[in-house]
Amino acid sequence: MNNVFTAEFSYLKNNFIDCINNFKYSGTLIGDENRNIVKHFDINGLKVNFKSFKQPNPFNRLVYTYFRKTKARRSFEYANLLISKNFNTPTPIAYFEYNTFLGLTSSYYISEHLENTFTLREVMRSTFFKDREELIKKYTLIMYQLHENGIEFIDNNSANFLIKLIENQYSFFIVDLNRMNFYHKMKISKRLKNISKITSDLEIIKIISTEYALLSGLKQEYCLKRIINASKKQQYKRALKNKLKFYKSFRLYKSKITIY
């Protein structure tokens, strides 16, 4: 087992190990269990989230053991990096990695549990959401600041931005951090492609492109065109991927049918 803590929480190591040992039957599930599993625990009054990452395939189990940082470790390190650059993310507490001679078996990222939050997805899905345009512009500012710091947030998904009202001000917290790329300077084309992942809603894209143009000094028409084109390519790729998944599932189903 390998584990790393933020210093102030190291005294809770045994408590965290107990939570991991009983992870399957304890804790409060957050979201679904389709891939990774996130659960909330209350430990001596400290409210924390445990993210259990899906066990990788046999090849990647070895890769994550000997050649590449695990998703749990990257989540912890990237959270600390974001905080050092004045971005908000739930406080990183620890990560745990479990290995056998066959490689990585499981890994966990532990972070602060935030209460009374809502997601950017909720904002974008409701045209009547309070302060909707303000929140979309706030999101755009955060993406621009990430890009200015050379950070490409690959999982730029509206569910990965938690919003909390603190002293009458909206604060954004970025989550699901294990996939990021870092550059000395991000090209404009890569920036706008990164933003295009957030939505295919034309009204929202217009707000984002206008705001990003103001922040970056680019022309609004240019930003709008590039984001729309990149968004359409994203939609096409998703549709193709879904068709391939359906075809693969259908082939598998047919292969299991026994003809007498």
Side-chain angles (χ1 to χ4, degrees), residues 99-161:
N99 300 274
T100 68
F101 68 95
L102 294 175
L104 181 72
T105 58
S106 60
S107 61
Y108 300 82
Y109 170 55
I110 306 170
S111 62
E112 170 193 16
H113 174 74
L114 295 178
E115 295 186 311
N116 303 317
T117 65
F118 55 94
T119 67
L120 182 62
R121 175 170 292 177
E122 295 170 68
V123 175
M124 289 186 166
R125 285 183 171 178
S126 173
T127 56
F128 300 103
F129 204 98
K130 183 183 177 182
D131 300 324
R132 184 172 186 257
E133 186 168 336
E134 175 191 342
L135 289 166
I136 294 170
K137 288 181 177 180
K138 178 76 171 179
Y139 155 79
T140 309
L141 173 61
I142 291 168
M143 290 300 295
Y144 172 75
Q145 291 171 335
L146 285 170
H147 294 162
E148 284 292 285
N149 280 274
I151 301 172
E152 180 187 10
F153 182 36
I154 296 175
D155 289 318
N156 177 31
N157 184 302
S158 57
N160 291 336
F161 292 88

Side-chain angles (χ1 to χ4, degrees), residues 209-223:
S209 62
T210 300
E211 191 67 13
Y212 202 93
L214 287 172
L215 292 166
S216 63
L218 297 168
K219 291 185 177 180
Q220 190 272 341
E221 295 83 359
Y222 174 81
C223 291

Side-chain angles (χ1 to χ4, degrees), residues 64-195:
Y64 283 127
T65 301
Y66 300 109
F67 304 106
R68 191 182 183 195
K69 294 178 181 180
T70 64
K71 293 180 180 180
R73 179 177 175 180
R74 279 182 276 148
S75 297
F76 180 81
E77 292 182 351
Y78 293 170
N80 280 293
L81 174 66
L82 288 180
I83 290 170
S84 74
K85 294 182 178 294
N86 297 316
F87 294 99
N88 292 327
T89 187
T91 302
I93 294 174
Y95 71 87
F96 283 75
E97 300 167 336
Y98 292 83
N99 300 274
T100 68
F101 68 95
L102 294 175
L104 181 72
T105 58
S106 60
S107 61
Y108 300 82
Y109 170 55
I110 306 170
S111 62
E112 170 193 16
H113 174 74
L114 295 178
E115 295 186 311
N116 303 317
T117 65
F118 55 94
T119 67
L120 182 62
R121 175 170 292 177
E122 295 170 68
V123 175
M124 289 186 166
R125 285 183 171 178
S126 173
T127 56
F128 300 103
F129 204 98
K130 183 183 177 182
D131 300 324
R132 184 172 186 257
E133 186 168 336
E134 175 191 342
L135 289 166
I136 294 170
K137 288 181 177 180
K138 178 76 171 179
Y139 155 79
T140 309
L141 173 61
I142 291 168
M143 290 300 295
Y144 172 75
Q145 291 171 335
L146 285 170
H147 294 162
E148 284 292 285
N149 280 274
I151 301 172
E152 180 187 10
F153 182 36
I154 296 175
D155 289 318
N156 177 31
N157 184 302
S158 57
N160 291 336
F161 292 88
L162 304 182
I163 304 170
K164 186 177 177 69
L165 190 61
I166 302 174
E167 297 180 354
N168 296 318
Q169 296 290 327
Y170 291 112
S171 293
F172 278 60
F173 293 79
I174 309 171
V175 298
D176 204 357
L177 307 178
N178 70 88
R179 295 205 306 154
M180 291 186 178
N181 288 328
F182 302 95
Y183 305 89
H184 176 67
K185 186 175 182 179
M186 274 187 76
K187 294 180 179 179
I188 293 300
S189 58
K190 188 172 289 293
R191 292 181 180 212
L192 299 179
K193 182 179 179 181
N194 186 212
I195 280 192

Side-chain angles (χ1 to χ4, degrees), residues 9 11-12 15-16 40-48 113 115:
F9 298 105
Y11 73 98
L12 290 170
N15 300 82
F16 291 151
H40 162 61
F41 290 82
D42 193 322
I43 303 173
N44 298 336
L46 177 67
K47 296 179 180 180
V48 297
H113 174 74
E115 295 186 311

